[in-house]
């Protein structure tokens, strides 16, 4: 009988543990579902209040946990300014960005190397999110709870870098008008600047595009300044090494005394 009681106690513990886990899982599911409902309601209220027009093929993320949400970053979700660039709002959105990254980004990667190109990508992504987030938290733009997705800010940063580094190459504006890359980038930046002021309800974050271009420009100038310092330091090191080499060679010279009756300089270097 004692053995039977012990076996019964041992068999009850796993059952109780399974029941507790099932109850806990159901509570977590209900909590997550409630958060999704609250987030969706806030998004609906936001777009209803502002009459925010979106393209027909634009699909919002399912909840505010996806993409870049300035209000969430202010609450400590610090990974969103880096991860939002891997999410997109539709098939055309991701295909266009991947096309630019594949064509223009490939040349930049060959020029800089993989690690520098990867750093440029994340710097532009952070810069685009930063500029959009600052204005959104200040009440300018779609709002602090509106999610942003896509690597368009990175794409605009790459276009700026391409226009600076390969400014004489030909690019086609709207696939029709040929022009040099430097003028193409200037025109593109002007269009985005005007759109960020007068066209704020088209479902695009023009501030993020400008942020990507600005951050890309700062990255290029910083990299150029760093490489200039590296070249100057290498030149200084070369001059210092040459001086040391000449001084080391001079140490092998010795002073020889000549005859005093010569009437010439009694001391010569040998």
């Amino acid at each position: 009988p004692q053995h039977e009681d012990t076996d019964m106690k041992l068999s009850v513990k796993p059952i109780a543990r399974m029941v507790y886990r099932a109850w806990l899982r159901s509570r977590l599911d209900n909590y997550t579902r409630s958060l999704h409902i609250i987030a969706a309601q806030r998004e609906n209220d936001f777009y209803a209040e502002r009459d925010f027009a979106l393209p027909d093929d634009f699909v919002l993320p399912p909840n505010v946990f996806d993409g870049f949400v300035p209000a969430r970053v202010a609450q400590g979700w610090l990974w969103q300014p880096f991860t939002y660039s891997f999410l997109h709002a539709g098939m055309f959105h991701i295909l266009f960005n991947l096309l630019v990254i594949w064509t223009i980004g490939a040349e930049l990667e060959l020029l800089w190397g993989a690690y520098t190109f990867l750093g440029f990508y994340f710097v532009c992504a952070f810069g685009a999110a930063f500029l959009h987030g600052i204005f959104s938290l200040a009440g300018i733009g779609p709002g602090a709870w509106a999610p942003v997705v896509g690597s368009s800010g990175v794409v605009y940063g790459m276009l700026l870098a391409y226009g600076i580094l390969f400014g004489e190459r030909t690019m086609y504006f709207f696939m029709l008008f040929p022009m040099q890359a430097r003028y193409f980038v200037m025109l593109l930046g002007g269009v985005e600047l005007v759109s960020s002021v007068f066209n704020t309800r088209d479902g695009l974050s023009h501030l993020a595009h400008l942020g990507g271009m600005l951050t890309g420009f700062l990255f290029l100038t910083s990299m150029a300044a760093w490489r200039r310092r590296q070249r100057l330091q290498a030149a200084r090191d070369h001059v210092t090494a040459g001086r040391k080499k000449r001084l080391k060679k001079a140490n092998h010279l010795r002073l020889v005394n000549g005859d005093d009756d010569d009437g010439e300089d009694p001391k010569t270097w040998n």
Side-chain angles (χ1 to χ4, degrees), residues 52-252:
F52 196 78
L54 291 173
D56 295 335
D57 60 346
F58 187 86
V59 180
L60 286 174
N63 52 68
V64 296
F65 297 95
D66 296 333
F68 168 68
V69 183
R72 286 296 185 189
V73 177
Q75 295 175 356
W77 297 46
L78 301 180
W79 61 87
Q80 286 191 350
F82 302 97
T83 58
Y84 80 100
S85 63
F86 300 105
L87 303 173
H88 288 78
M91 186 61 66
F92 178 78
H93 190 198
I94 190 172
L95 287 179
F96 177 79
N97 288 343
L98 287 178
L99 178 64
V100 177
I101 294 174
W102 175 54
T103 54
I104 294 179
E107 288 205 54
L108 296 177
E109 184 181 6
L110 290 175
L111 181 64
W112 294 337
Y115 292 106
T116 303
F117 177 77
L118 188 63
F120 181 82
Y121 181 95
F122 283 109
V123 166
C124 289
F126 176 80
F130 179 79
L131 189 64
H132 172 84
I134 289 296
F135 280 91
S136 297
L137 292 174
I140 302 174
W145 284 98
V148 176
V149 294
S151 58
S152 298
V154 180
V155 166
Y156 275 79
M158 290 183 184
L159 289 172
L160 176 74
Y162 190 85
I164 293 176
L165 298 174
F166 308 101
E168 297 182 355
R169 294 188 180 181
T170 302
M171 300 186 72
Y172 290 86
F173 191 73
F174 283 114
M175 304 294 180
L176 295 175
F177 308 103
M179 62 183 67
Q180 290 186 350
R182 59 169 63 94
Y183 301 122
F184 177 86
V185 171
M186 292 180 186
L187 182 60
L188 199 64
V191 170
E192 289 300 317
L193 182 61
V194 173
S195 299
S196 65
V197 178
F198 299 103
N199 194 14
T200 59
R201 295 187 175 184
D202 57 352
L204 300 176
S205 179
H206 300 285
L207 290 173
H209 298 168
L210 292 175
M213 298 183 75
L214 177 61
T215 313
F217 177 76
L218 294 177
F219 184 94
L220 290 177
T221 54
S222 301
M223 185 169 61
W226 177 78
R227 289 185 174 179
R228 192 179 302 112
R229 288 195 300 268
Q230 291 293 107
R231 288 195 296 267
L232 291 176
Q233 185 62 36
R236 293 192 191 100
D237 294 341
H238 180 72
V239 172
T240 303
R243 288 178 180 175
K244 290 181 179 180
K245 186 176 180 180
R246 288 194 297 270
L247 290 175
K248 185 177 180 181
K249 184 177 180 180
N251 289 333
H252 295 286

Side-chain angles (χ1 to χ4, degrees), residues 34-57:
S34 300
L35 289 178
H36 290 179
I37 293 174
I38 294 172
Q41 185 63 39
R42 286 184 177 179
E43 291 176 1
N44 294 333
D45 294 342
F46 168 80
Y47 292 111
E49 291 175 1
R50 290 164 177 77
D51 190 22
F52 196 78
L54 291 173
D56 295 335
D57 60 346

Side-chain angles (χ1 to χ4, degrees), residues 255-269:
L255 186 64
V256 179
N257 293 327
D259 297 330
D260 294 337
D261 298 336
D262 293 340
E264 299 178 354
D265 189 359
K267 295 181 180 180
T268 58
W269 288 99

